[in-house]
Amino acid sequence: MSLFKRLRDLTLSNVNALIDKAEDPIKLTDQYIRDMTEDLGDAEKAVAAQIALEKKFKRLYEEQVELVEKRTQQAHMAAQAQNVDLARRALEEKKAAEGKMAEYKSGYDLNLKLANDLRAKLEEMRKELTELKNKREMLVARYNAAKAQTEINKAMNGFGSDSAAAGLKRMEEKMLQMEAQAEASNSLYASKGKSLDDEFKELGKDKAVEDELAALMKQYENKDK
């Protein structure tokens, strides 16, 4: 697998499409987060190695720059001293250093560009991972809310079902039957609980009322006459 291949496979647009089709988006998102975190660690190592290579070529290039300047000064010193052989040797090493300097400069420029590209991709990976983690939190909240709503709807459907209504009606009929039985038993107990003396007392109470009523009516009959 080439470096950052999974980064191309894990762009958020692709992740979003897969999440929308997933039965359990939370598990899928967690797996992608683990994969991207692992790739991010590998990418950081690769970027560090490339930066080290960039710095190496920079150091080699700077060393040759210093050597060219040094051999140039030495060639002038030898020429002033009329030392042709020494001046020639200084100029020859200067020329060789200039060749290496150009080579190392080319290597430095190339590795600097590669390092910068990897830095940008690494930053892109970090951004993708952060956005995916944020998306996970949103998915968890939405998933839990949807789950709770589903449970509530199931409960509400149970309350409004025909079986529940029929059960409540049967309970009401049973209560009415029990209340009727209780009322009947109270009446029966009341009639059975009266003694013979009690019934004669009630009979006497009824006669006293009738006598009082007759006397009252008779009183008003006398006034009319």
Side-chain angles (χ1 to χ4, degrees):
M1 180 182 294
S2 61
L3 187 60
F4 301 114
K5 179 179 183 298
R6 196 170 295 171
L7 174 61
R8 295 193 298 271
D9 296 338
L10 286 176
T11 57
L12 283 183
S13 59
N14 293 336
V15 172
N16 291 341
L18 289 173
I19 287 174
D20 290 339
K21 298 177 182 179
E23 294 182 1
D24 192 336
I26 306 302
K27 289 184 178 179
L28 178 62
T29 306
D30 287 342
Q31 183 59 50
Y32 272 109
I33 288 175
R34 287 191 293 270
D35 291 344
M36 288 190 71
T37 301
E38 181 180 350
D39 280 352
L40 184 61
D42 294 339
E44 288 173 344
K45 294 177 182 177
V47 172
Q50 185 60 46
I51 291 174
L53 195 58
E54 166 208 335
K55 291 182 177 180
K56 176 183 177 181
F57 274 93
K58 181 181 180 181
R59 185 179 68 254
L60 292 172
Y61 165 69
E62 290 174 346
E63 288 175 354
Q64 295 306 310
V65 170
E66 292 177 359
L67 184 58
V68 167
E69 293 176 355
K70 181 178 180 180
R71 292 294 182 252
T72 300
Q73 293 176 0
Q74 290 174 340
H76 283 282
M77 290 175 60
Q80 289 176 359
Q82 296 298 305
N83 191 331
V84 178
D85 183 59
L86 190 59
R88 181 183 294 109
R89 288 169 55 194
L91 290 175
E92 288 174 349
E93 289 195 13
K94 172 193 170 186
K95 184 176 179 61
E98 287 175 341
K100 290 183 179 179
M101 182 180 70
E103 180 183 348
Y104 291 148
K105 180 64 167 61
S106 177
Y108 168 66
D109 290 341
L110 176 61
N111 283 281
L112 177 61
K113 182 180 182 304
L114 291 174
N116 287 336
D117 289 344
L118 291 180
R119 287 188 184 98
K121 290 181 179 179
L122 181 61
E123 186 60 30
E124 183 181 354
M125 287 186 73
R126 288 171 176 162
K127 182 180 177 181
E128 293 279 343
L129 182 57
T130 299
E131 291 182 8
L132 190 57
K133 287 180 178 180
N134 292 338
K135 186 175 183 66
R136 181 198 182 279
E137 297 305 316
M138 179 191 67
L139 284 171
V140 169
R142 289 173 56 189
Y143 180 80
N144 290 336
K147 187 176 180 181
Q149 188 63 43
T150 301
E151 295 299 325
I152 291 174
N153 290 338
K154 286 182 180 179
M156 294 302 294
N157 289 335
F159 279 117
S161 64
D162 294 338
S163 59
L168 290 174
K169 184 173 180 60
R170 288 196 298 272
M171 289 178 62
E172 183 179 3
E173 292 173 352
K174 184 66 175 178
M175 290 300 299
L176 290 174
Q177 182 181 359
M178 291 176 65
E179 289 172 352
Q181 290 176 350
E183 184 176 354
S185 64
N186 287 337
S187 299
L188 182 61
Y189 174 78
S191 62
K192 287 184 177 180
K194 292 181 181 180
S195 65
L196 185 62
D197 291 336
D198 291 334
E199 292 184 13
F200 273 109
K201 285 180 181 180
E202 289 182 2
L203 181 62
K205 288 180 182 179
D206 293 340
K207 186 175 182 302
V209 171
E210 293 297 327
D211 291 343
E212 184 177 358
L213 178 61
L216 180 62
M217 297 301 296
K218 186 176 181 180
Q219 179 182 352
Y220 281 99
E221 286 177 2
N222 294 333
K223 287 184 178 181
D224 293 337
K225 293 177 180 180

